[in-house]
Amino acid sequence: MKLILLGAPGAGKGTQSAILAEKLNIPTISTGNMLRTAIKERTPFGLRAEEYMKAGQLVPDEMVIEMLYVRVAEADCANGYILDGVPRTIAQAESLEQAGIVFDDVISIEISDAEIVTRMSNRRVCERCGASYHLVAVPPKQEGICDKCGGALIRRGDDEPETVQARLNVYHQETEPLKEFYAERGNLSSVENQPTVEETSRAILRILNR
């Protein structure tokens, strides 16, 4: 199964991707985590990407697609994968199609901008492995410590309110049109944000008939 999760930054794509990956036994490919790893390691690619991310802007299409092509060719993607954070533009979606990469389902998680801003102020990520947490909805077992690797949990610079709003503006302009793009191809479904993470997961799995 090849699956895309769409939604505004902070809509819960990373959390839902991790749950679905375990249920479906396929890997999640988070371009955001891949980019942050490159930035942390101070690679030439990461340094270029950092300039865009700090400004709340999208990393250019050609950079993201180049990184993605390498990743989906790895052995663990042979039975499918979940994309989190890509495609972010119509151009990226068209590039994937041109490469023969098509998707069984595209799920859009719907949530208001106001709730996004509130939610992201409570979001934390592991500075070591990139695992995502939320202080209210998905807290770590030990405050400030990643359950998976023991790394320190931090609030990313792009989760600051001003940057969040800039990212939302970019999402509405650049990424939200993908809903119409995939609706035209007949594989788009929408899921309203549910009161809990678990209920959102169940709503998605119902769509996938799992």
Side-chain angles (χ1 to χ4, degrees):
M1 172 178 286
K2 296 178 181 177
L3 174 66
I4 298 174
L5 291 186
L6 293 179
K13 300 185 299 296
T15 299
Q16 294 301 327
S17 293
I19 294 170
L20 294 171
E22 183 175 354
K23 293 279 188 182
L24 302 174
N25 196 30
I26 55 178
T28 292
I29 299 175
S30 170
T31 54
N33 286 346
M34 293 169 69
L35 287 168
R36 283 185 284 276
T37 296
I39 290 170
K40 181 180 179 181
E41 295 176 353
R42 313 304 290 171
T43 66
F45 183 95
L47 292 173
R48 284 188 293 148
E50 185 176 35
E51 296 179 6
Y52 294 96
M53 294 177 71
K54 278 187 173 180
Q57 299 176 1
L58 296 178
V59 176
D61 289 351
E62 60 271 16
M63 292 178 64
V64 175
I65 296 299
E66 174 189 349
M67 179 178 65
L68 181 62
Y69 284 164
V70 173
R71 178 67 183 91
V72 299
E74 295 181 11
D76 65 334
C77 293
N79 293 323
Y81 45 82
I82 303 166
L83 293 191
D84 169 17
V86 67
R88 285 189 173 180
T89 64
I90 296 294
Q92 287 181 356
E94 291 174 340
S95 293
L96 293 174
E97 282 194 349
Q98 290 166 8
I101 300 175
V102 295
F103 299 92
D104 300 296
D105 290 280
V106 179
I107 307 293
S108 177
I109 302 173
E110 304 294 334
I111 182 171
S112 70
D113 285 7
E115 187 172 350
I116 289 288
V117 173
T118 299
R119 173 183 292 186
M120 292 179 76
S121 68
N122 286 312
R123 191 164 74 166
R124 300 293 184 270
V125 295
C126 176
E127 64 178 359
R128 183 184 299 170
C129 74
S132 298
Y133 296 86
H134 189 276
L135 299 184
V136 177
V138 190
K141 296 177 182 177
Q142 183 178 349
E143 183 177 355
I145 303 297
C146 178
D147 296 346
K148 297 182 179 180
C149 73
L153 301 184
I154 60 172
R155 182 160 80 173
R156 300 196 321 239
D158 56 357
D159 283 344
E160 296 294 337
E162 297 81 3
T163 306
V164 170
Q165 190 57 59
R167 293 173 67 199
L168 286 169
N169 293 341
V170 171
Y171 166 77
H172 291 306
Q173 180 179 357
E174 300 287 344
T175 305
E176 199 163 30
L178 283 169
K179 292 194 289 186
E180 182 177 352
F181 179 89
Y182 286 112
E184 291 174 351
R185 284 150 179 77
N187 58 356
L188 176 74
S189 298
S190 295
V191 171
E192 295 295 329
N193 185 54
Q194 303 296 310
T196 67
V197 169
E198 292 77 15
E199 289 178 72
T200 301
S201 299
R202 285 194 288 270
I204 294 173
L205 288 167
R206 282 195 296 270
I207 291 173
L208 300 177
N209 295 316
R210 298 300 177 103

